[in-house]
Amino acid sequence: MRKIFTFIMLGGLLVVLLSSISELPPMGNGDNPSFNEISEYYIDEGVEDTHAPNLITAIITDYRAFDTLGEATVLFTGIAAVVSLIGITHHSKNKEDEEDDLHG
Amino acid sequence: MDDLFVRITTRMILPFIQIYGLYVIIHGHLSPGGAFSGGSIFAASIVLYTLAYGLKPGQKRLPHHISSKIETGGILFFILIGLIGVALGYTFLTNQEAGFPMGEIGRVLSAGLIPVVTFALGLKVMSTVVTLFHTMMEEE
């Protein structure tokens, strides 16, 4: 019963996603809603505003710097989760595996 | 990995990988690249060192207490740079209006807070990748 329910749910989701793909605007079309005045403003005024020729860096660290702070927080949260799950063993305490110190 | 060729090749190409990573970070506002890619390249050098020489020398190269300080310090530096704009009466992370020296377009020392923020973020990404790798190496 549960498998049938899962199958029906996933099948319905597949139908919804596939039917919405056919409604997407064609890629690179000039009439797409992603080509609005914001991208034109970035291309025209970005170098004057930020003095950075690399427009992508100008966007991610100047116009969208708060979003980049969120990305850094995602990294921080991810590593906090990994360290809390796996754990850090401090190797300065156990001296007995010092002989596999393969330096040089 | 106990192999002489891998170790000697690692020792030879390690400074070039690190200089290239720092170059990508520092020139993030001029050329393709930036904090995330440059930090990953720099971290790849330390990952390569750990793979070639073992976990202990790799952890001696970048100990966990130092990498955790780099990580928290990078993000705190980012927030403090952003708070300069708030202190001067503008919004969070204001660049040009807050009076950061903008310099000449195309120079390394230009674009106000962008290289500073890129450098802090690159160090943070580097220490994140290295800490993840060392933590997962310790587990097995």
Side-chain angles (χ1 to χ4, degrees):
Chain A
M1 186 62 208
R2 204 166 155 191
K3 271 186 183 168
I4 295 170
F5 182 69
T6 312
F7 196 73
I8 291 172
M9 285 299 288
L10 287 178
L13 195 63
L14 182 71
V15 167
V16 169
L17 288 177
L18 284 181
S19 61
S20 60
I21 281 176
S22 64
E23 294 295 320
L24 285 177
M27 201 165 161
N29 196 355
D31 300 329
N32 285 352
S34 56
F35 287 104
N36 50 15
E37 70 275 4
I38 296 177
S39 57
E40 283 173 15
Y41 176 81
Y42 286 158
I43 292 169
D44 291 340
E45 312 281 336
V47 177
E48 275 305 305
D49 278 353
T50 64
H51 286 223
N54 186 359
L55 200 57
I56 298 170
T57 304
I59 290 173
I60 68 169
T61 57
D62 192 319
Y63 293 112
R64 299 279 181 266
F66 193 59
D67 181 55
T68 308
L69 179 61
E71 283 176 34
T73 316
V74 167
L75 279 178
F76 188 80
T77 316
I79 196 159
V82 166
V83 168
S84 68
L85 280 177
I86 294 178
I88 289 283
T89 52
H90 291 283
H91 279 267
S92 54
K93 284 170 189 159
N94 39 4
K95 290 273 193 286
E96 66 270 9
D97 3 314
E98 284 289 320
E99 66 266 12
D100 59 354
D101 195 348
L102 300 163
H103 217 289
Chain B
M1 195 183 294
D2 196 12
D3 190 68
L4 185 66
F5 294 111
V6 172
R7 285 192 190 172
I8 290 180
T9 314
T10 302
R11 204 194 292 166
M12 277 165 55
I13 68 173
L14 202 69
F16 296 104
I17 300 175
Q18 291 183 343
I19 282 180
Y20 182 61
L22 281 178
Y23 166 81
V24 171
I25 292 175
I26 290 173
H27 291 75
H29 57 297
L30 302 177
S31 62
F36 291 94
S37 42
S40 303
I41 292 168
F42 199 94
S45 72
I46 298 177
V47 167
L48 179 67
Y49 185 84
T50 309
L51 282 176
Y53 284 84
L55 183 58
K56 286 276 187 126
Q59 278 181 333
K60 210 168 279 177
R61 189 55 64 109
L62 189 69
H64 180 252
H65 61 98
I66 290 181
S67 72
S68 67
K69 282 183 183 64
I70 289 175
E71 185 153 345
T72 47
I75 195 162
L76 278 178
F77 190 67
F78 194 130
I79 295 174
L80 283 179
I81 288 286
L83 285 177
I84 290 176
V86 176
L88 293 174
Y90 300 97
T91 52
F92 188 59
L93 287 163
T94 312
N95 190 3
Q96 193 170 23
E97 290 87 15
F100 283 100
M102 296 307 281
E104 190 184 337
I105 295 174
R107 296 272 173 183
V108 175
L109 291 174
S110 66
L113 65 78
I114 291 179
V116 183
V117 160
T118 310
F119 195 70
L121 264 182
L123 286 181
K124 185 189 153 38
V125 171
M126 184 270 292
S127 70
T128 300
V129 175
V130 170
T131 312
L132 272 178
F133 184 72
H134 283 172
T135 309
M136 289 180 178
M137 283 277 284
E138 274 177 359
E139 180 65 15
E140 53 194 17

